[in-house]
Amino acid sequence: MAAPAPPAPPRRINLALQGGGAHGAFTWGVLDGFLGDERIVIDGVTGTSAGAVNAVLFADGMAEGGRKAAHDRLARFWQAASRDGSLPAAQRRVLDRLFSVMPFEGSLMEAWTSAMQRYFSPYDLNPFEINPLEDLINHFVDFDRLAAYEPLQVFVSATNVRTGKLTVFRRESLTCRAVMASACLPNLFRAVEIDGVPYWDGGYMANPALFPLYRTTEAEDIVIVQLNPVLRNETPTSSRQITNRINEITFNSPLMGELRAAAFVARLIDEGKLVRGRDKGQYRHINVHRIALSDALADLTASSKADTDYDFLLKLREAGHRAARHFLKSHFDDIGVRSTLDLDEQLAAVWA
């Protein structure tokens, strides 16, 4: 009788997590889907804004106790972050601001906020730089433990206010303030200073940054968890709809630029014009995959980024979990072999 075939080696991937307010609960579900499949090993994770929060929660959970601890850590955070969660009032308010660029359209709160922001900045309204987000993140993440966890590379992006350049914080140097900087919307929060340098939301320059993964991990496959839709079928007409669409386009733009670069390098490798490898003068052939919120829940509006009702967060989590399972069922054999995101189609310009 023939011996059973040995199990196939696990497939190694990197994860790239976009920001998107409360829609980050979809990413929670995607992470849970990958955690539940022992055939998948995650070598690296990069994140921006709410994606950075998910990244450090996931990574520190892995550092503490592996897949089960990471699963539990994400669940505790998102339950606490919900409207009916257990957070103190100050932390509840700061999460509400993190999850919403503007209040709901047409409300009295929107009119009040618009008037206040026209005349006052966060420096006027918060002169003592009170930001309870620091206590919240420190409650859920042990950054010393995370820094020492070598099996997983972690990258968090922020925008240097003075130079306009991207800053990428590696796992070894990650702090709570780096995550705060990555999620710092400038019309809501004072710039987060680290070693005397002010930072704003990383989404302006990278949402998220892909390039740190190219030479730091064994995996050549990146799964992008994309929360901001590329396509909208209707033309925005109201002030809020216009603002939301501008934000979506702005926060997708850096990712589209990085995908163009990855596609260009892959094409040159395939044509034999570049040498594939990890040594000096060689280039990685990156396989790109995408799990998109807009594919899983097409009827979501931009304003739902501010909805922190726990039932809604669970709906997003379940959609993310299903999307991850569907991706693995459809494309597991493609990991390590080819891209499943057609970059040429995604990035093609339209000539008029």
Side-chain angles (χ1 to χ4, degrees), residues 52-61 63-64 73 77 133-150 154-156 169-182 194:
V53 176
N54 270 319
V56 296
L57 289 166
F58 164 75
D60 186 47
E64 180 188 30
R73 181 74 54 81
F77 173 84
L133 186 59
E134 186 166 13
D135 293 335
L136 174 63
I137 295 173
N138 277 325
H139 175 72
F140 283 98
V141 179
D142 183 333
F143 285 94
D144 290 334
R145 177 173 57 206
L146 176 58
Y149 186 63
E150 296 183 357
V154 185
F155 304 95
V156 166
F169 296 94
R170 302 174 60 116
R171 186 201 72 242
E172 298 89 339
S173 61
L174 266 179
T175 64
C176 178
R177 292 191 68 80
V179 180
M180 293 166 57
S182 185
I194 301 173

mmCIF file of all heavy atoms in Angstrom, residues 52-61 63-64 73 77 133-150 154-156 169-182 194:
data_model
loop_
_atom_site.group_PDB
_atom_site.id
_atom_site.type_symbol
_atom_site.label_atom_id
_atom_site.label_comp_id
_atom_site.label_asym_id
_atom_site.label_seq_id
_atom_site.Cartn_x
_atom_site.Cartn_y
_atom_site.Cartn_z
ATOM 1 N N ALA A 52 -3.466 50.280 9.921
ATOM 2 C CA ALA A 52 -2.334 50.167 10.839
ATOM 3 C C ALA A 52 -2.788 49.637 12.192
ATOM 4 O O ALA A 52 -2.082 48.838 12.827
ATOM 5 C CB ALA A 52 -1.657 51.531 11.004
ATOM 6 N N VAL A 53 -3.957 50.075 12.645
ATOM 7 C CA VAL A 53 -4.496 49.571 13.914
ATOM 8 C C VAL A 53 -4.727 48.068 13.816
ATOM 9 O O VAL A 53 -4.319 47.296 14.700
ATOM 10 C CB VAL A 53 -5.802 50.308 14.274
ATOM 11 C CG1 VAL A 53 -6.418 49.704 15.538
ATOM 12 C CG2 VAL A 53 -5.541 51.799 14.475
ATOM 13 N N ASN A 54 -5.373 47.617 12.733
ATOM 14 C CA ASN A 54 -5.578 46.178 12.547
ATOM 15 C C ASN A 54 -4.254 45.429 12.472
ATOM 16 O O ASN A 54 -4.116 44.324 13.002
ATOM 17 C CB ASN A 54 -6.375 45.928 11.261
ATOM 18 C CG ASN A 54 -7.874 45.911 11.485
ATOM 19 O OD1 ASN A 54 -8.368 45.363 12.460
ATOM 20 N ND2 ASN A 54 -8.606 46.516 10.574
ATOM 21 N N ALA A 55 -3.261 46.027 11.811
ATOM 22 C CA ALA A 55 -1.962 45.364 11.642
ATOM 23 C C ALA A 55 -1.291 45.109 12.983
ATOM 24 O O ALA A 55 -0.785 44.003 13.227
ATOM 25 C CB ALA A 55 -1.056 46.205 10.742
ATOM 26 N N VAL A 56 -1.267 46.108 13.856
ATOM 27 C CA VAL A 56 -0.563 45.921 15.133
ATOM 28 C C VAL A 56 -1.362 45.028 16.073
ATOM 29 O O VAL A 56 -0.779 44.279 16.869
ATOM 30 C CB VAL A 56 -0.215 47.270 15.797
ATOM 31 C CG1 VAL A 56 0.757 48.062 14.934
ATOM 32 C CG2 VAL A 56 -1.448 48.097 16.119
ATOM 33 N N LEU A 57 -2.686 45.085 16.007
ATOM 34 C CA LEU A 57 -3.498 44.166 16.814
ATOM 35 C C LEU A 57 -3.216 42.722 16.407
ATOM 36 O O LEU A 57 -2.998 41.845 17.256
ATOM 37 C CB LEU A 57 -4.983 44.469 16.623
ATOM 38 C CG LEU A 57 -5.532 45.757 17.225
ATOM 39 C CD1 LEU A 57 -6.913 46.047 16.658
ATOM 40 C CD2 LEU A 57 -5.580 45.676 18.744
ATOM 41 N N PHE A 58 -3.237 42.461 15.105
ATOM 42 C CA PHE A 58 -2.977 41.129 14.586
ATOM 43 C C PHE A 58 -1.569 40.657 14.953
ATOM 44 O O PHE A 58 -1.374 39.541 15.445
ATOM 45 C CB PHE A 58 -3.166 41.137 13.073
ATOM 46 C CG PHE A 58 -2.570 39.955 12.366
ATOM 47 C CD1 PHE A 58 -3.181 38.721 12.418
ATOM 48 C CD2 PHE A 58 -1.387 40.080 11.653
ATOM 49 C CE1 PHE A 58 -2.630 37.623 11.768
ATOM 50 C CE2 PHE A 58 -0.830 39.006 10.991
ATOM 51 C CZ PHE A 58 -1.446 37.767 11.056
ATOM 52 N N ALA A 59 -0.575 41.517 14.722
ATOM 53 C CA ALA A 59 0.815 41.117 14.928
ATOM 54 C C ALA A 59 1.116 40.869 16.399
ATOM 55 O O ALA A 59 1.798 39.897 16.757
ATOM 56 C CB ALA A 59 1.753 42.192 14.369
ATOM 57 N N ASP A 60 0.606 41.726 17.276
ATOM 58 C CA ASP A 60 0.884 41.516 18.693
ATOM 59 C C ASP A 60 0.144 40.299 19.219
ATOM 60 O O ASP A 60 0.635 39.605 20.115
ATOM 61 C CB ASP A 60 0.515 42.762 19.494
ATOM 62 C CG ASP A 60 0.929 42.644 20.961
ATOM 63 O OD1 ASP A 60 2.087 42.230 21.213
ATOM 64 O OD2 ASP A 60 0.102 42.933 21.840
ATOM 65 N N GLY A 61 -1.041 40.023 18.675
ATOM 66 C CA GLY A 61 -1.721 38.789 19.050
ATOM 67 C C GLY A 61 -0.913 37.569 18.644
ATOM 68 O O GLY A 61 -0.763 36.622 19.421
ATOM 69 N N ALA A 63 2.291 37.494 18.329
ATOM 70 C CA ALA A 63 3.460 37.468 19.211
ATOM 71 C C ALA A 63 3.110 36.903 20.584
ATOM 72 O O ALA A 63 3.907 36.194 21.209
ATOM 73 C CB ALA A 63 4.033 38.877 19.360
ATOM 74 N N GLU A 64 1.916 37.177 21.054
ATOM 75 C CA GLU A 64 1.516 36.725 22.391
ATOM 76 C C GLU A 64 1.209 35.231 22.426
ATOM 77 O O GLU A 64 1.621 34.533 23.348
ATOM 78 C CB GLU A 64 0.282 37.492 22.850
ATOM 79 C CG GLU A 64 -0.191 37.074 24.241
ATOM 80 C CD GLU A 64 -1.522 37.692 24.615
ATOM 81 O OE1 GLU A 64 -2.342 37.946 23.711
ATOM 82 O OE2 GLU A 64 -1.736 37.914 25.817
ATOM 83 N N ARG A 73 -7.643 38.871 20.090
ATOM 84 C CA ARG A 73 -7.283 40.286 20.227
ATOM 85 C C ARG A 73 -8.117 41.157 19.296
ATOM 86 O O ARG A 73 -8.629 42.205 19.697
ATOM 87 C CB ARG A 73 -5.802 40.472 19.903
ATOM 88 C CG ARG A 73 -5.300 41.911 20.039
ATOM 89 C CD ARG A 73 -5.176 42.288 21.505
ATOM 90 N NE ARG A 73 -4.339 41.307 22.179
ATOM 91 C CZ ARG A 73 -2.995 41.331 22.140
ATOM 92 N NH1 ARG A 73 -2.370 42.286 21.501
ATOM 93 N NH2 ARG A 73 -2.304 40.410 22.786
ATOM 94 N N PHE A 77 -10.944 44.022 20.510
ATOM 95 C CA PHE A 77 -10.840 45.428 20.117
ATOM 96 C C PHE A 77 -12.104 45.902 19.417
ATOM 97 O O PHE A 77 -12.664 46.950 19.754
ATOM 98 C CB PHE A 77 -9.636 45.649 19.203
ATOM 99 C CG PHE A 77 -9.581 47.051 18.637
ATOM 100 C CD1 PHE A 77 -9.018 48.085 19.365
ATOM 101 C CD2 PHE A 77 -10.123 47.333 17.379
ATOM 102 C CE1 PHE A 77 -8.985 49.374 18.852
ATOM 103 C CE2 PHE A 77 -10.094 48.616 16.866
ATOM 104 C CZ PHE A 77 -9.516 49.639 17.602
ATOM 105 N N LEU A 133 -6.632 58.272 22.103
ATOM 106 C CA LEU A 133 -6.276 57.132 21.269
ATOM 107 C C LEU A 133 -5.010 56.453 21.785
ATOM 108 O O LEU A 133 -4.852 55.238 21.653
ATOM 109 C CB LEU A 133 -6.079 57.590 19.823
ATOM 110 C CG LEU A 133 -5.841 56.514 18.760
ATOM 111 C CD1 LEU A 133 -6.999 55.534 18.714
ATOM 112 C CD2 LEU A 133 -5.620 57.149 17.396
ATOM 113 N N GLU A 134 -4.123 57.217 22.394
ATOM 114 C CA GLU A 134 -2.882 56.649 22.923
ATOM 115 C C GLU A 134 -3.167 55.615 24.009
ATOM 116 O O GLU A 134 -2.603 54.515 23.994
ATOM 117 C CB GLU A 134 -1.989 57.762 23.464
ATOM 118 C CG GLU A 134 -0.619 57.288 23.906
ATOM 119 C CD GLU A 134 0.354 58.435 24.104
ATOM 120 O OE1 GLU A 134 -0.082 59.596 24.148
ATOM 121 O OE2 GLU A 134 1.560 58.149 24.221
ATOM 122 N N ASP A 135 -4.045 55.958 24.937
ATOM 123 C CA ASP A 135 -4.399 55.006 25.993
ATOM 124 C C ASP A 135 -5.097 53.783 25.417
ATOM 125 O O ASP A 135 -4.863 52.649 25.864
ATOM 126 C CB ASP A 135 -5.312 55.678 27.028
ATOM 127 C CG ASP A 135 -4.597 56.760 27.814
ATOM 128 O OD1 ASP A 135 -3.353 56.701 27.923
ATOM 129 O OD2 ASP A 135 -5.274 57.672 28.315
ATOM 130 N N LEU A 136 -5.937 54.013 24.410
ATOM 131 C CA LEU A 136 -6.692 52.916 23.813
ATOM 132 C C LEU A 136 -5.763 51.904 23.150
ATOM 133 O O LEU A 136 -5.859 50.696 23.390
ATOM 134 C CB LEU A 136 -7.680 53.476 22.791
ATOM 135 C CG LEU A 136 -8.461 52.465 21.958
ATOM 136 C CD1 LEU A 136 -9.348 51.608 22.847
ATOM 137 C CD2 LEU A 136 -9.279 53.181 20.898
ATOM 138 N N ILE A 137 -4.826 52.384 22.332
ATOM 139 C CA ILE A 137 -3.926 51.471 21.626
ATOM 140 C C ILE A 137 -3.008 50.764 22.604
ATOM 141 O O ILE A 137 -2.760 49.555 22.499
ATOM 142 C CB ILE A 137 -3.128 52.232 20.560
ATOM 143 C CG1 ILE A 137 -4.079 52.770 19.480
ATOM 144 C CG2 ILE A 137 -2.067 51.337 19.922
ATOM 145 C CD1 ILE A 137 -3.410 53.673 18.473
ATOM 146 N N ASN A 138 -2.490 51.506 23.578
ATOM 147 C CA ASN A 138 -1.609 50.883 24.564
ATOM 148 C C ASN A 138 -2.333 49.820 25.381
ATOM 149 O O ASN A 138 -1.709 48.877 25.880
ATOM 150 C CB ASN A 138 -1.025 51.949 25.498
ATOM 151 C CG ASN A 138 0.199 52.629 24.901
ATOM 152 O OD1 ASN A 138 0.987 51.997 24.203
ATOM 153 N ND2 ASN A 138 0.360 53.914 25.173
ATOM 154 N N HIS A 139 -3.639 49.965 25.531
ATOM 155 C CA HIS A 139 -4.417 48.966 26.267
ATOM 156 C C HIS A 139 -4.432 47.628 25.536
ATOM 157 O O HIS A 139 -4.425 46.566 26.167
ATOM 158 C CB HIS A 139 -5.846 49.467 26.470
ATOM 159 C CG HIS A 139 -6.763 48.470 27.117
ATOM 160 N ND1 HIS A 139 -6.683 48.131 28.451
ATOM 161 C CD2 HIS A 139 -7.772 47.717 26.588
ATOM 162 C CE1 HIS A 139 -7.603 47.216 28.728
ATOM 163 N NE2 HIS A 139 -8.280 46.954 27.619
ATOM 164 N N PHE A 140 -4.428 47.674 24.192
ATOM 165 C CA PHE A 140 -4.568 46.455 23.411
ATOM 166 C C PHE A 140 -3.268 45.924 22.840
ATOM 167 O O PHE A 140 -3.226 44.777 22.383
ATOM 168 C CB PHE A 140 -5.557 46.695 22.257
ATOM 169 C CG PHE A 140 -6.995 46.691 22.679
ATOM 170 C CD1 PHE A 140 -7.665 47.877 22.920
ATOM 171 C CD2 PHE A 140 -7.680 45.506 22.843
ATOM 172 C CE1 PHE A 140 -8.997 47.880 23.313
ATOM 173 C CE2 PHE A 140 -9.017 45.489 23.239
ATOM 174 C CZ PHE A 140 -9.674 46.680 23.482
ATOM 175 N N VAL A 141 -2.199 46.713 22.815
ATOM 176 C CA VAL A 141 -0.964 46.303 22.144
ATOM 177 C C VAL A 141 0.235 46.498 23.061
ATOM 178 O O VAL A 141 0.403 47.568 23.650
ATOM 179 C CB VAL A 141 -0.742 47.106 20.838
ATOM 180 C CG1 VAL A 141 0.557 46.677 20.153
ATOM 181 C CG2 VAL A 141 -1.926 46.932 19.889
ATOM 182 N N ASP A 142 1.065 45.462 23.181
ATOM 183 C CA ASP A 142 2.337 45.532 23.896
ATOM 184 C C ASP A 142 3.439 45.737 22.847
ATOM 185 O O ASP A 142 3.842 44.786 22.168
ATOM 186 C CB ASP A 142 2.568 44.237 24.678
ATOM 187 C CG ASP A 142 3.852 44.261 25.507
ATOM 188 O OD1 ASP A 142 4.796 44.988 25.141
ATOM 189 O OD2 ASP A 142 3.911 43.534 26.521
ATOM 190 N N PHE A 143 3.905 46.965 22.703
ATOM 191 C CA PHE A 143 4.841 47.276 21.623
ATOM 192 C C PHE A 143 6.227 46.691 21.866
ATOM 193 O O PHE A 143 6.962 46.420 20.899
ATOM 194 C CB PHE A 143 4.899 48.788 21.395
ATOM 195 C CG PHE A 143 3.683 49.315 20.677
ATOM 196 C CD1 PHE A 143 2.600 49.813 21.390
ATOM 197 C CD2 PHE A 143 3.614 49.292 19.298
ATOM 198 C CE1 PHE A 143 1.474 50.274 20.734
ATOM 199 C CE2 PHE A 143 2.490 49.752 18.626
ATOM 200 C CZ PHE A 143 1.416 50.256 19.341
ATOM 201 N N ASP A 144 6.610 46.480 23.095
ATOM 202 C CA ASP A 144 7.891 45.818 23.360
ATOM 203 C C ASP A 144 7.847 44.367 22.893
ATOM 204 O O ASP A 144 8.803 43.866 22.285
ATOM 205 C CB ASP A 144 8.229 45.885 24.854
ATOM 206 C CG ASP A 144 8.583 47.288 25.307
ATOM 207 O OD1 ASP A 144 9.051 48.084 24.460
ATOM 208 O OD2 ASP A 144 8.394 47.601 26.502
ATOM 209 N N ARG A 145 6.767 43.694 23.167
ATOM 210 C CA ARG A 145 6.615 42.301 22.720
ATOM 211 C C ARG A 145 6.554 42.240 21.197
ATOM 212 O O ARG A 145 7.170 41.374 20.573
ATOM 213 C CB ARG A 145 5.345 41.707 23.325
ATOM 214 C CG ARG A 145 5.047 40.272 22.873
ATOM 215 C CD ARG A 145 3.873 39.702 23.653
ATOM 216 N NE ARG A 145 2.674 40.518 23.512
ATOM 217 C CZ ARG A 145 1.699 40.582 24.410
ATOM 218 N NH1 ARG A 145 1.790 39.885 25.533
ATOM 219 N NH2 ARG A 145 0.643 41.346 24.205
ATOM 220 N N LEU A 146 5.833 43.182 20.607
ATOM 221 C CA LEU A 146 5.722 43.218 19.152
ATOM 222 C C LEU A 146 7.085 43.443 18.499
ATOM 223 O O LEU A 146 7.430 42.787 17.507
ATOM 224 C CB LEU A 146 4.749 44.325 18.741
ATOM 225 C CG LEU A 146 4.578 44.584 17.243
ATOM 226 C CD1 LEU A 146 4.121 43.332 16.522
ATOM 227 C CD2 LEU A 146 3.586 45.722 17.022
ATOM 228 N N ALA A 147 7.877 44.349 19.050
ATOM 229 C CA ALA A 147 9.187 44.655 18.468
ATOM 230 C C ALA A 147 10.103 43.440 18.461
ATOM 231 O O ALA A 147 10.963 43.298 17.581
ATOM 232 C CB ALA A 147 9.840 45.805 19.237
ATOM 233 N N ALA A 148 9.925 42.557 19.434
ATOM 234 C CA ALA A 148 10.803 41.391 19.553
ATOM 235 C C ALA A 148 10.309 40.191 18.760
ATOM 236 O O ALA A 148 10.996 39.163 18.712
ATOM 237 C CB ALA A 148 10.932 41.001 21.033
ATOM 238 N N TYR A 149 9.165 40.314 18.091
ATOM 239 C CA TYR A 149 8.574 39.166 17.393
ATOM 240 C C TYR A 149 9.103 39.092 15.958
ATOM 241 O O TYR A 149 8.544 39.693 15.028
ATOM 242 C CB TYR A 149 7.049 39.268 17.409
ATOM 243 C CG TYR A 149 6.342 38.060 16.847
ATOM 244 C CD1 TYR A 149 6.475 36.808 17.453
ATOM 245 C CD2 TYR A 149 5.537 38.161 15.720
ATOM 246 C CE1 TYR A 149 5.817 35.691 16.944
ATOM 247 C CE2 TYR A 149 4.875 37.056 15.198
ATOM 248 C CZ TYR A 149 5.028 35.824 15.816
ATOM 249 O OH TYR A 149 4.385 34.720 15.309
ATOM 250 N N GLU A 150 10.159 38.331 15.749
ATOM 251 C CA GLU A 150 10.848 38.312 14.463
ATOM 252 C C GLU A 150 10.132 37.570 13.338
ATOM 253 O O GLU A 150 10.370 37.870 12.157
ATOM 254 C CB GLU A 150 12.254 37.735 14.650
ATOM 255 C CG GLU A 150 13.147 38.596 15.535
ATOM 256 C CD GLU A 150 14.555 38.045 15.643
ATOM 257 O OE1 GLU A 150 14.810 36.956 15.077
ATOM 258 O OE2 GLU A 150 15.394 38.700 16.295
ATOM 259 N N VAL A 154 6.328 43.962 10.215
ATOM 260 C CA VAL A 154 5.191 44.874 10.320
ATOM 261 C C VAL A 154 5.645 46.270 9.917
ATOM 262 O O VAL A 154 6.711 46.733 10.349
ATOM 263 C CB VAL A 154 4.623 44.908 11.760
ATOM 264 C CG1 VAL A 154 3.369 45.778 11.810
ATOM 265 C CG2 VAL A 154 4.317 43.499 12.254
ATOM 266 N N PHE A 155 4.817 46.949 9.104
ATOM 267 C CA PHE A 155 5.144 48.289 8.636
ATOM 268 C C PHE A 155 3.912 49.181 8.756
ATOM 269 O O PHE A 155 2.818 48.791 8.356
ATOM 270 C CB PHE A 155 5.624 48.262 7.181
ATOM 271 C CG PHE A 155 6.802 47.351 6.957
ATOM 272 C CD1 PHE A 155 6.603 46.046 6.515
ATOM 273 C CD2 PHE A 155 8.095 47.780 7.202
ATOM 274 C CE1 PHE A 155 7.675 45.192 6.309
ATOM 275 C CE2 PHE A 155 9.177 46.925 7.007
ATOM 276 C CZ PHE A 155 8.968 45.643 6.557
ATOM 277 N N VAL A 156 4.133 50.373 9.294
ATOM 278 C CA VAL A 156 3.064 51.353 9.472
ATOM 279 C C VAL A 156 3.508 52.656 8.804
ATOM 280 O O VAL A 156 4.634 53.115 9.022
ATOM 281 C CB VAL A 156 2.764 51.575 10.964
ATOM 282 C CG1 VAL A 156 1.920 52.819 11.181
ATOM 283 C CG2 VAL A 156 2.064 50.349 11.550
ATOM 284 N N PHE A 169 7.386 53.169 9.478
ATOM 285 C CA PHE A 169 7.874 52.673 10.761
ATOM 286 C C PHE A 169 7.902 51.149 10.719
ATOM 287 O O PHE A 169 6.884 50.501 10.469
ATOM 288 C CB PHE A 169 6.977 53.158 11.897
ATOM 289 C CG PHE A 169 6.961 54.651 12.078
ATOM 290 C CD1 PHE A 169 5.988 55.429 11.461
ATOM 291 C CD2 PHE A 169 7.919 55.281 12.855
ATOM 292 C CE1 PHE A 169 5.962 56.808 11.622
ATOM 293 C CE2 PHE A 169 7.910 56.652 13.019
ATOM 294 C CZ PHE A 169 6.926 57.421 12.398
ATOM 295 N N ARG A 170 9.098 50.571 10.971
ATOM 296 C CA ARG A 170 9.243 49.120 11.000
ATOM 297 C C ARG A 170 8.842 48.572 12.363
ATOM 298 O O ARG A 170 8.754 49.304 13.348
ATOM 299 C CB ARG A 170 10.699 48.746 10.709
ATOM 300 C CG ARG A 170 11.238 49.235 9.386
ATOM 301 C CD ARG A 170 12.716 48.933 9.275
ATOM 302 N NE ARG A 170 12.968 47.510 9.359
ATOM 303 C CZ ARG A 170 13.486 46.797 8.364
ATOM 304 N NH1 ARG A 170 13.813 47.367 7.226
ATOM 305 N NH2 ARG A 170 13.690 45.497 8.501
ATOM 306 N N ARG A 171 8.632 47.261 12.403
ATOM 307 C CA ARG A 171 8.233 46.593 13.643
ATOM 308 C C ARG A 171 9.157 46.931 14.792
ATOM 309 O O ARG A 171 8.709 47.199 15.919
ATOM 310 C CB ARG A 171 8.221 45.074 13.425
ATOM 311 C CG ARG A 171 7.684 44.264 14.603
ATOM 312 C CD ARG A 171 8.146 42.818 14.590
ATOM 313 N NE ARG A 171 9.553 42.693 14.933
ATOM 314 C CZ ARG A 171 10.481 42.205 14.127
ATOM 315 N NH1 ARG A 171 10.172 41.800 12.915
ATOM 316 N NH2 ARG A 171 11.743 42.130 14.543
ATOM 317 N N GLU A 172 10.465 46.944 14.531
ATOM 318 C CA GLU A 172 11.446 47.155 15.605
ATOM 319 C C GLU A 172 11.331 48.538 16.235
ATOM 320 O O GLU A 172 11.730 48.730 17.390
ATOM 321 C CB GLU A 172 12.871 46.953 15.064
ATOM 322 C CG GLU A 172 13.149 45.550 14.538
ATOM 323 C CD GLU A 172 12.806 45.399 13.078
ATOM 324 O OE1 GLU A 172 11.993 46.204 12.555
ATOM 325 O OE2 GLU A 172 13.338 44.468 12.445
ATOM 326 N N SER A 173 10.824 49.514 15.489
ATOM 327 C CA SER A 173 10.742 50.881 16.007
ATOM 328 C C SER A 173 9.302 51.350 16.218
ATOM 329 O O SER A 173 9.071 52.524 16.504
ATOM 330 C CB SER A 173 11.453 51.843 15.048
ATOM 331 O OG SER A 173 10.834 51.835 13.771
ATOM 332 N N LEU A 174 8.352 50.431 16.088
ATOM 333 C CA LEU A 174 6.954 50.815 16.233
ATOM 334 C C LEU A 174 6.630 51.214 17.665
ATOM 335 O O LEU A 174 7.037 50.553 18.618
ATOM 336 C CB LEU A 174 6.041 49.667 15.813
ATOM 337 C CG LEU A 174 5.537 49.664 14.375
ATOM 338 C CD1 LEU A 174 4.665 48.437 14.137
ATOM 339 C CD2 LEU A 174 4.759 50.924 14.071
ATOM 340 N N THR A 175 5.878 52.287 17.780
ATOM 341 C CA THR A 175 5.363 52.738 19.065
ATOM 342 C C THR A 175 3.889 53.078 18.896
ATOM 343 O O THR A 175 3.373 53.145 17.775
ATOM 344 C CB THR A 175 6.105 53.995 19.553
ATOM 345 O OG1 THR A 175 5.851 55.067 18.620
ATOM 346 C CG2 THR A 175 7.603 53.746 19.679
ATOM 347 N N CYS A 176 3.253 53.318 20.006
ATOM 348 C CA CYS A 176 1.868 53.743 19.949
ATOM 349 C C CYS A 176 1.723 55.032 19.151
ATOM 350 O O CYS A 176 0.784 55.200 18.375
ATOM 351 C CB CYS A 176 1.347 53.923 21.379
ATOM 352 S SG CYS A 176 -0.349 54.494 21.452
ATOM 353 N N ARG A 177 2.669 55.956 19.313
ATOM 354 C CA ARG A 177 2.571 57.237 18.620
ATOM 355 C C ARG A 177 2.715 57.071 17.103
ATOM 356 O O ARG A 177 2.156 57.860 16.339
ATOM 357 C CB ARG A 177 3.603 58.232 19.162
ATOM 358 C CG ARG A 177 3.297 58.669 20.592
ATOM 359 C CD ARG A 177 4.150 59.833 21.038
ATOM 360 N NE ARG A 177 3.838 61.065 20.320
ATOM 361 C CZ ARG A 177 2.807 61.851 20.596
ATOM 362 N NH1 ARG A 177 1.966 61.531 21.570
ATOM 363 N NH2 ARG A 177 2.617 62.967 19.910
ATOM 364 N N ALA A 178 3.444 56.064 16.661
ATOM 365 C CA ALA A 178 3.538 55.809 15.228
ATOM 366 C C ALA A 178 2.176 55.410 14.667
ATOM 367 O O ALA A 178 1.793 55.838 13.570
ATOM 368 C CB ALA A 178 4.575 54.731 14.956
ATOM 369 N N VAL A 179 1.443 54.585 15.404
ATOM 370 C CA VAL A 179 0.102 54.196 14.963
ATOM 371 C C VAL A 179 -0.834 55.398 15.006
ATOM 372 O O VAL A 179 -1.658 55.610 14.103
ATOM 373 C CB VAL A 179 -0.438 53.047 15.825
ATOM 374 C CG1 VAL A 179 -1.833 52.636 15.371
ATOM 375 C CG2 VAL A 179 0.505 51.849 15.776
ATOM 376 N N MET A 180 -0.723 56.217 16.052
ATOM 377 C CA MET A 180 -1.507 57.443 16.127
ATOM 378 C C MET A 180 -1.215 58.356 14.951
ATOM 379 O O MET A 180 -2.123 58.953 14.364
ATOM 380 C CB MET A 180 -1.210 58.174 17.437
ATOM 381 C CG MET A 180 -1.684 57.463 18.685
ATOM 382 S SD MET A 180 -0.941 58.177 20.185
ATOM 383 C CE MET A 180 -1.447 59.892 20.052
ATOM 384 N N ALA A 181 0.073 58.462 14.582
ATOM 385 C CA ALA A 181 0.449 59.307 13.451
ATOM 386 C C ALA A 181 -0.174 58.791 12.161
ATOM 387 O O ALA A 181 -0.661 59.562 11.333
ATOM 388 C CB ALA A 181 1.974 59.351 13.323
ATOM 389 N N SER A 182 -0.167 57.474 11.978
ATOM 390 C CA SER A 182 -0.716 56.877 10.769
ATOM 391 C C SER A 182 -2.200 57.156 10.623
ATOM 392 O O SER A 182 -2.722 57.187 9.502
ATOM 393 C CB SER A 182 -0.473 55.367 10.780
ATOM 394 O OG SER A 182 -0.898 54.777 9.573
ATOM 395 N N ILE A 194 6.806 62.898 16.678
ATOM 396 C CA ILE A 194 7.689 61.813 17.087
ATOM 397 C C ILE A 194 9.118 62.305 16.884
ATOM 398 O O ILE A 194 9.503 62.643 15.759
ATOM 399 C CB ILE A 194 7.439 60.532 16.264
ATOM 400 C CG1 ILE A 194 5.984 60.074 16.438
ATOM 401 C CG2 ILE A 194 8.409 59.419 16.675
ATOM 402 C CD1 ILE A 194 5.600 58.911 15.535
#
